[in-house]
Amino acid sequence: MSGRLRDRSSSQAKRHSHHQTTTTVAAAAAMPNFLTETLPCPFGELATNLSDSALRETAYEILVGACRSTGGKPLTYISQSERNSERTATPTLTSTASLQRSLTSTAASKVKKALGLRSSGRKKVSGESDSERVKKAVTIGEMLRVQMGISEQTDSRVRRALLRVAAAQLGRRIESVVLPLEMLQQLKPSDFPNQGEYEAWQRRNLKLLEAGLLLHPLLPLDKTDAAPQRLRQIIRGALEKPLETGKNNESMQALRSIVLSLACRTFDGSASETIHWADGFPLNLRIYQMLLEACFDVNDETSVIEEVDEVLELIKKTWVVLGMNQMLHNLCFLWILFNRYVATGEVEGDLLFAANNLLMEVEKDSKSMKDPNYSKILSSTLSAILGWAEKRLLAYHNYFHSDNTELLECVVSVGVLSAKIMVEDISHEYRKKRKEFDVAHERVDTYIRSSLRTAFFQIMEKVKSSKRSSNKNQQNQLPFLSILAQDVSTLAFSEKAIFSPILKRWHPLSAGVAVATLHSCYGNELKQFVFSIGELTPDILQVLRAAEKLEKDLVQIAVENSVDSEDGGKSIIREMPPYEAESVVSNLVKSWIKTRLDRLKEWVDRNLQQEVWDPRANKERFAPSSVEVLRIVDEALEAFFLLPISIHAALLPDLTNGIDRCLQHYISKAKSGCGTRSTFVPSMPALTRCSSRSKVSGVFKKKEKFQKAQSRKSQVGTTNGNGSFGIPQLYCRINTLQHIRTELDVLAKRTIVHLRSSESHNNNIANGTGKAFELSAAACLEGIQQLCEATAYKVIFQDLSHVLWDGLYVGEVSSSRIEPFLKELEHYLEVLSLTVHDRVRTRVITEVMKASFDGFLLVLLAGGPARAFSLQDYETIAEDFKFLTDLFWSNGDGLPADLIQKFSTTVKAILPLFHTETDSLIEQFKYMTAESYGSSAKSKLPLPPTSGQWSPTEPNTLLRVLCYRSDETAAKFLKKTYNLPKKL
């Protein structure tokens, strides 16, 4: 890292050599210059009101004195004109490292190279024209005077004073002299333009003594020592009335005595040649600050002079007076560079890069330097730098962009290094108590999260503002969170491309942390949105789809960023709990489905209440209510597939199962109350026996018919009292169920087509819909069967009962044959053929045929006491049954012959019993009963129960033939065996 920043200088030199004219513009664009900041000085405030100009003049005096002291030769002041005229003379002082070194000897700056500062063309010295520069060479001393803003008059006075001091203190070095005291002694009012300037100068030196010896001494003052108090009194008095500074003046001698006693103190009490008057904190640092600021060109406050090496070499000579060392110098110079960058509007990025490189040296120094004063200054300096850096880094999206990422890298380095040094500078005892952690990683993690949160909320406010504006203009109708999701996605990809490559140097998962932060911010907004959702709308679906897409983008960035991480990015992914937008969509769609199904059920109930089942309502002869219900079902399916979701296949069963239940409810209601086979079949009368005189009078037969009719009305009245259950209405119900059954197949196929064209298309979608509407389909089949059977038995046993049950074979067989029944039945069959749907017509006619065969057998085997059959009646009965079967065959235009044969088998098997001899019948009955009841039938034949399953081998069937046999033998057997009564 340090190498990268240090090596900037070579590349910068090339860049600036090609783009010198754009330097200022490029620098100005380095970072947004909101307002020039003024940072508080971290060195601390002086307890006396010494101005910067006073400190600067003091610094210049110390500098000139220090250079004289280390030069090895007497200090003389030579004016520029004299120096030019004596250029060829003996080089008295120019061979030493003094203020008189010529600038023409300056080589390429090593300091600049070390700090990463670019070299520039030679700067003109202030006040000189090009022609003047050619005429004379400027010395380092002259340049420093100009750089520090010292007038030639002041410079001349300082040099004269130092010459006098040197003469008076022959052989003494600068660190052995209290310079303000000696200056007060050597300079008189006559050395100043006027008395006022002299008095101001005297006050400045007295304040210096006060600051260096009383307010900010290197060694703490002894409270028992009276010298500090006497010095305060002298200074206070001198500030009110100018001090007499003559050599033999009593007040001056007292001042000298007290000052030297305080300045010569040492920590261990031993004698020392070094006098402490300007090396206490923070006075020494403030004076040194004035010296270091001379490294900046007075004509370009953002530029470090080319002669910085020589200047710093001279400045370092003041260390012995100011109590400085290399580490304190590095720390002070760091602050000077950094503060100059900030104070000049942050336009010259080189200053910040230089400060960063020097900060790396400070980091090394801090590990070995444990002086409390140094630690205090280090802490305050780094706190100021860190505060400035973090102000930008905690919202780096506001300060940096794709064109100044190099500057971002430098600011991060400054912030991270400052934080790291401060942590490492904590006392050993405290450090033992805290866990080791990566400061850089922790700080950069904080910067990323903070800046992304700030950027997110700024984007959100911008979208809200834009949305409010667009709403007024009726533009941009996209939902707020959809727009926000798009903008956040753009921010995430921008972060990945611009900032993450820089921040990855300190935080390997920088992109992952960034997207996790954005994921959390958007997730919080999405949660509030989802919580407020009442029902599914297109806007809501749009938001959820946008959230789903955003989440995929963010997760993808996190996964790509985590490829080389130790845990494979699991820690980042754990920070990104799924939005579960699909789950939210699923729940909303389920709610939508429930609403639709509830509405469908309401429609079903309302339409059923209004339905009259009139086959004349439409030409298809089915119920209008079914058309309406199926229309609503089709609309629901259409609306479902119009929903902009990708989970149609997953949620389709919820809808189809609900529709299935609603249709099943409709079908159930359609067949409800229509009756069944048992509803219309009359109950069998009690068994009786016949006699040869069983033929009763017509009056009795009429009475019997009336009684039977009354009994039958009581049995079927519940189904015959409502007009919606007539035969035409039953036909309509059958047609309706057949229509629904047909439409179910159409709906299932249409659903598959919809599904194939939806976003959730896959090759196995047909498998999921193969069982759609299976409950309704089964209910249709069952309902059609029930209605066909009910219709058939209603026709035979209720509508045609007067010609079948009440008329067929009542009294004489030959005079009450089947023709009236066949005639009316034929009419019913004609109406049936015209009314019932052709797909179920055969089934209905078949059920009518089965019912008529059952009715024919019921007349023969359970027709009641009004009926009796002799052996001679067999032919008539057999012929009548053939007429009945021929009606359904209809010369080949009716039911298939094999179908008629199938259902007529039972009748044809029983009819021969009616021309079987009575004795033979009795023997067959006994045998079959014994077979059925075993040994219990040997003593007495049990009365076989009525099973309803007629068969020539079934005991009850044989018994009934005997009961209706008009024969004395049969009557006696029944009397003897079961004591059956004669005709009722």
Side-chain angles (χ1 to χ4, degrees):
M1 178 67 202
S2 61
R4 288 188 74 260
L5 290 174
R6 290 181 190 279
D7 293 343
R8 289 182 73 254
S9 56
S10 60
S11 61
Q12 285 173 334
K14 295 177 183 178
R15 172 165 55 86
H16 284 279
S17 66
H18 291 293
H19 304 285
Q20 289 179 1
T21 58
T22 61
T23 300
T24 304
V25 176
M31 182 180 285
N33 183 12
F34 297 102
L35 285 174
T36 301
E37 288 188 58
T38 301
L39 300 177
C41 180
F43 304 150
E45 294 297 326
L46 296 178
T48 185
N49 58 342
L50 281 168
S51 65
D52 285 353
S53 60
L55 290 172
R56 193 175 296 111
E57 193 169 333
T58 301
Y60 187 72
E61 292 169 355
I62 295 172
L63 175 65
V64 174
C67 289
R68 168 260 164 203
S69 179
T70 58
K73 302 238 180 197
L75 181 67
T76 58
Y77 174 67
I78 305 172
S79 69
Q80 290 291 343
S81 58
E82 290 173 339
R83 191 173 291 115
N84 288 336
S85 63
E86 297 175 2
R87 186 179 295 263
T88 56
T90 342
T92 36
L93 296 176
T94 55
S95 60
T96 65
S98 69
L99 292 174
Q100 280 72 44
R101 179 177 295 170
S102 172
L103 295 185
T104 57
S105 65
T106 304
S109 172
K110 293 180 181 179
V111 172
K112 280 195 170 188
K113 184 177 181 181
L115 293 177
L117 292 167
R118 68 179 184 275
S119 295
S120 59
R122 171 156 303 280
K123 307 286 184 179
K124 291 192 299 180
V125 178
S126 177
E128 287 187 331
S129 66
D130 290 339
S131 58
E132 288 173 330
R133 241 189 104 255
V134 173
K135 291 179 182 177
K136 61 181 181 179
V138 181
T139 63
I140 293 292
E142 177 66 10
M143 185 196 69
L144 266 175
R145 178 189 69 75
V146 174
Q147 286 290 108
M148 294 184 71
I150 304 298
S151 66
E152 289 188 2
Q153 187 180 29
T154 301
D155 176 62
S156 176
R157 184 168 58 244
V158 168
R159 290 176 182 276
R160 283 198 304 273
L162 288 173
L163 284 172
R164 295 170 186 172
V165 170
Q169 305 282 348
L170 190 63
R172 297 190 67 180
R173 302 175 65 83
I174 190 66
E175 63 267 28
S176 302
V177 175
V178 180
L179 194 57
L181 180 66
E182 301 301 334
M183 298 290 274
L184 285 170
Q185 182 82 63
Q186 300 301 333
L187 290 179
K188 308 299 179 186
S190 59
D191 293 308
F192 293 85
N194 54 64
Q195 182 66 23
E197 190 171 331
Y198 169 73
E199 290 178 2
W201 172 85
Q202 189 182 84
R203 285 195 296 273
R204 190 253 299 175
N205 281 282
L206 289 171
K207 287 181 180 180
L208 272 174
L209 290 174
E210 179 186 31
L213 298 175
L214 299 179
L215 302 177
H216 306 290
L218 177 66
L219 278 71
L221 296 173
D222 185 354
K223 293 182 179 180
T224 61
D225 189 357
Q229 185 60 32
R230 291 202 305 274
L231 180 58
R232 288 190 186 94
Q233 292 172 353
I234 293 172
I235 292 173
R236 191 177 299 115
L239 291 175
E240 294 175 358
K241 181 182 178 180
L243 184 70
E244 292 292 332
T245 58
K247 184 176 181 180
N248 298 318
N249 186 276
E250 182 179 345
S251 59
M252 188 63 198
Q253 288 179 351
L255 178 64
R256 175 178 292 275
S257 173
I258 296 171
V259 166
L260 290 177
S261 70
L262 291 172
C264 292
R265 292 177 303 132
T266 59
F267 285 101
D268 56 3
S270 61
S272 172
E273 292 186 359
T274 301
I275 290 180
H276 306 286
W277 69 271
D279 50 358
F281 295 92
L283 176 63
N284 57 345
L285 299 181
R286 293 301 304 278
I287 294 173
Y288 197 66
Q289 180 181 357
M290 299 300 116
L291 293 170
L292 289 178
E293 285 180 351
C295 294
F296 292 97
D297 197 313
V298 291
N299 290 324
D300 182 0
E301 59 184 355
T302 65
S303 176
V304 175
I305 58 175
E306 286 298 312
E307 298 77 15
V308 64
D309 296 37
E310 288 82 353
V311 169
L312 288 178
E313 184 181 346
L314 294 178
I315 288 174
K316 287 180 180 181
K317 296 181 185 298
T318 66
W319 287 5
V320 66
V321 177
L322 300 175
M324 300 295 291
N325 54 38
Q326 185 65 48
M327 295 178 183
L328 284 170
H329 164 79
N330 289 342
L331 188 56
C332 287
F333 200 22
L334 162 65
W335 173 251
I336 297 302
L337 290 169
F338 174 78
N339 188 53
R340 180 57 64 102
Y341 169 71
V342 175
T344 54
E346 304 171 16
V347 296
E348 183 52 74
D350 277 4
L351 294 175
L352 186 63
F353 282 96
N356 181 69
N357 284 326
L358 195 52
L359 186 58
M360 297 177 194
E361 297 300 320
V362 171
E363 180 186 18
K364 297 175 187 176
D365 296 342
S366 66
K367 293 177 180 178
S368 57
M369 183 71 160
K370 300 304 176 185
D371 177 67
N373 286 320
Y374 176 82
S375 294
K376 182 180 178 181
I377 300 302
L378 175 69
S379 177
S380 60
T381 302
L382 295 183
S383 292
I385 294 174
L386 182 60
W388 173 90
E390 292 202 329
K391 177 182 178 182
R392 285 143 184 80
L393 295 176
L394 290 171
Y396 58 79
H397 291 85
N398 293 342
Y399 295 87
F400 304 97
H401 43 78
S402 58
D403 294 334
N404 65 353
T405 53
E406 192 177 39
L407 187 60
L408 168 65
E409 185 175 14
C410 185
V411 175
V412 175
S413 178
V414 166
V416 166
L417 275 174
S418 298
K420 185 178 178 183
I421 296 169
M422 290 176 71
V423 169
E424 291 174 350
D425 191 54
I426 297 172
S427 66
H428 290 289
E429 292 76 16
Y430 184 69
R431 183 163 56 245
K432 288 178 181 177
K433 296 177 183 178
R434 66 184 298 137
K435 294 180 180 178
E436 291 296 325
F437 68 100
D438 188 339
V439 177
H441 184 281
E442 183 266 340
R443 296 314 303 163
V444 172
D445 188 275
T446 301
Y447 302 151
I448 295 171
R449 294 181 191 277
S450 172
S451 188
L452 265 298
R453 278 193 292 268
T454 302
F456 174 84
F457 288 112
Q458 288 174 347
I459 288 175
M460 191 166 73
E461 287 304 314
K462 183 179 178 182
V463 172
K464 284 182 179 178
S465 176
S466 173
K467 194 70 178 146
R468 285 192 293 268
S469 175
S470 63
N471 286 340
K472 291 179 181 178
N473 300 325
Q474 295 184 345
Q475 298 173 346
N476 189 12
Q477 296 305 312
L478 276 176
F480 163 69
L481 284 180
S482 295
I483 302 172
L484 183 61
Q486 295 172 4
D487 290 354
V488 170
S489 181
T490 301
L491 175 61
F493 282 110
S494 173
E495 178 76 15
K496 175 190 174 185
I498 298 174
F499 300 120
S500 295
I502 301 296
L503 301 174
K504 193 172 183 178
R505 301 181 189 282
W506 295 274
H507 197 310
L509 299 179
S510 55
V513 169
V515 295
T517 303
L518 291 176
H519 185 276
S520 173
C521 290
Y522 187 85
N524 290 335
E525 299 302 315
L526 186 64
K527 282 179 185 176
Q528 296 179 33
F529 173 77
V530 170
F531 184 75
S532 65
I533 291 174
E535 61 178 2
L536 188 65
T537 65
D539 278 4
I540 289 171
L541 284 174
Q542 198 167 16
V543 167
L544 294 173
R545 293 185 75 183
E548 188 176 15
K549 182 183 183 302
L550 171 62
E551 185 169 50
K552 287 179 181 177
D553 291 343
L554 298 181
V555 170
Q556 181 63 31
I557 292 173
V559 170
E560 290 174 358
N561 181 237
S562 308
V563 171
D564 300 325
S565 65
E566 293 180 2
D567 66 350
K570 291 179 182 178
S571 58
I572 294 297
I573 297 301
R574 278 196 295 269
E575 286 190 48
M576 303 170 70
Y579 291 154
E580 296 182 343
E582 189 169 303
S583 175
V584 174
V585 171
S586 176
N587 291 334
L588 287 172
V589 175
K590 285 178 180 179
S591 176
W592 179 89
I593 289 172
K594 183 179 182 301
T595 301
R596 285 279 180 155
L597 292 176
D598 290 344
R599 194 180 306 162
L600 176 59
K601 189 173 184 302
E602 289 176 12
W603 272 93
V604 167
D605 290 334
R606 187 181 302 121
N607 280 274
L608 281 171
Q609 287 172 5
Q610 299 170 358
E611 187 58 69
V612 294
W613 306 102
D614 184 358
R616 296 169 298 179
N618 51 54
K619 64 180 182 179
E620 292 86 2
R621 300 183 184 279
F622 48 69
S625 60
S626 66
V627 179
E628 186 65 17
V629 169
L630 288 170
R631 181 186 65 79
I632 297 169
V633 168
D634 191 53
E635 286 180 355
L637 284 168
E638 189 80 24
F640 173 75
F641 284 106
L642 287 175
L643 294 176
I645 58 177
S646 59
I647 52 175
H648 290 104
L651 296 176
L652 180 60
D654 290 33
L655 179 60
T656 55
N657 290 342
I659 292 173
D660 202 14
R661 288 190 296 271
C662 288
L663 291 177
Q664 187 185 22
H665 173 66
Y666 180 92
I667 295 163
S668 175
K669 290 290 185 180
K671 68 180 183 178
S672 175
C674 294
T676 61
R677 176 184 184 278
S678 60
T679 304
F680 302 102
V681 175
S683 58
M684 297 183 189
L687 293 174
T688 59
R689 56 191 171 87
C690 293
S691 67
S692 56
R693 299 185 300 277
S694 289
K695 303 301 180 182
V696 295
S697 65
V699 176
F700 179 80
K701 285 191 282 185
K702 289 180 182 178
K703 182 180 180 183
E704 188 180 63
K705 286 183 185 179
F706 178 77
Q707 291 173 342
K708 290 179 182 175
Q710 290 293 91
S711 173
R712 190 162 53 256
K713 284 181 182 178
S714 67
Q715 295 171 22
V716 299
T718 54
T719 61
N720 200 31
N722 190 334
S724 65
F725 295 103
I727 295 301
Q729 285 73 31
L730 292 176
Y731 291 161
C732 181
R733 292 171 190 263
I734 292 171
N735 290 342
T736 300
L737 297 193
Q738 178 59 33
H739 173 62
I740 291 174
R741 183 186 174 198
T742 303
E743 288 301 310
L744 288 177
D745 292 337
V746 175
L747 285 173
K749 291 176 182 176
R750 192 177 299 154
T751 300
I752 292 174
V753 172
H754 278 309
L755 202 53
R756 283 179 176 153
S757 61
S758 71
E759 294 182 15
S760 51
H761 167 62
N762 62 67
N763 295 327
N764 298 318
I765 54 176
N767 297 338
T769 59
K771 295 183 179 180
F773 316 118
E774 60 178 351
L775 294 177
S776 301
C780 279
L781 285 173
E782 181 186 343
I784 290 171
Q785 178 60 36
Q786 180 184 329
L787 288 172
C788 288
E789 189 177 82
T791 302
Y793 280 85
K794 179 178 173 59
V795 168
I796 299 302
F797 290 100
Q798 183 170 300
D799 289 21
L800 299 180
S801 63
H802 61 286
V803 289
L804 177 67
W805 188 249
D806 296 338
L808 184 61
Y809 305 142
V810 172
E812 292 293 334
V813 172
S814 58
S815 61
S816 54
R817 294 185 64 174
I818 203 167
E819 284 85 357
F821 172 71
L822 295 179
K823 184 177 180 181
E824 294 200 27
L825 178 58
E826 185 176 15
H827 171 71
Y828 270 90
L829 292 176
E830 289 174 356
V831 175
L832 185 155
S833 298
L834 293 172
T835 308
V836 176
H837 193 284
D838 56 2
R839 294 286 295 273
V840 288
R841 187 179 301 145
T842 298
R843 181 180 296 183
V844 179
I845 295 174
T846 301
E847 290 299 326
V848 172
M849 180 183 70
K850 287 167 62 179
S852 65
F853 290 173
D854 285 352
F856 190 79
L857 275 180
L858 204 61
V859 166
L860 296 178
L861 299 176
R867 292 178 174 90
F869 306 102
S870 63
L871 289 172
Q872 292 76 23
D873 293 330
Y874 166 73
E875 296 296 337
T876 302
I877 296 171
E879 186 179 36
D880 282 351
F881 184 68
K882 185 177 185 306
F883 292 154
L884 180 59
T885 56
D886 286 346
L887 174 65
F888 289 103
W889 183 58
S890 189
N891 295 318
D893 293 332
L895 296 177
D898 57 345
L899 192 64
I900 297 171
Q901 177 64 32
K902 175 184 176 183
F903 291 110
S904 64
T905 303
T906 302
V907 179
K908 289 180 178 179
I910 292 173
L911 283 181
L913 295 177
F914 284 85
H915 73 91
T916 302
E917 293 292 336
T918 302
D919 291 338
S920 176
L921 274 177
I922 292 172
E923 290 304 320
Q924 287 183 46
F925 171 71
K926 289 179 179 180
Y927 176 76
M928 290 301 172
T929 303
E931 283 290 319
S932 300
Y933 293 96
S935 59
S936 63
K938 289 181 180 180
S939 58
K940 182 180 178 181
L941 288 174
L943 182 66
T946 302
S947 65
Q949 302 297 319
W950 312 128
S951 169
T953 59
E954 193 257 334
N956 186 263
T957 304
L958 293 169
L959 177 61
R960 287 182 174 277
V961 175
L962 288 171
C963 287
Y964 289 96
R965 174 63 59 87
S966 180
D967 181 269
E968 192 65 32
T969 304
K972 287 180 179 180
F973 170 76
L974 294 173
K975 168 69 174 172
K976 179 182 178 182
T977 307
Y978 300 112
N979 195 27
L980 291 181
K982 291 183 180 182
K983 298 297 182 180
L984 298 175

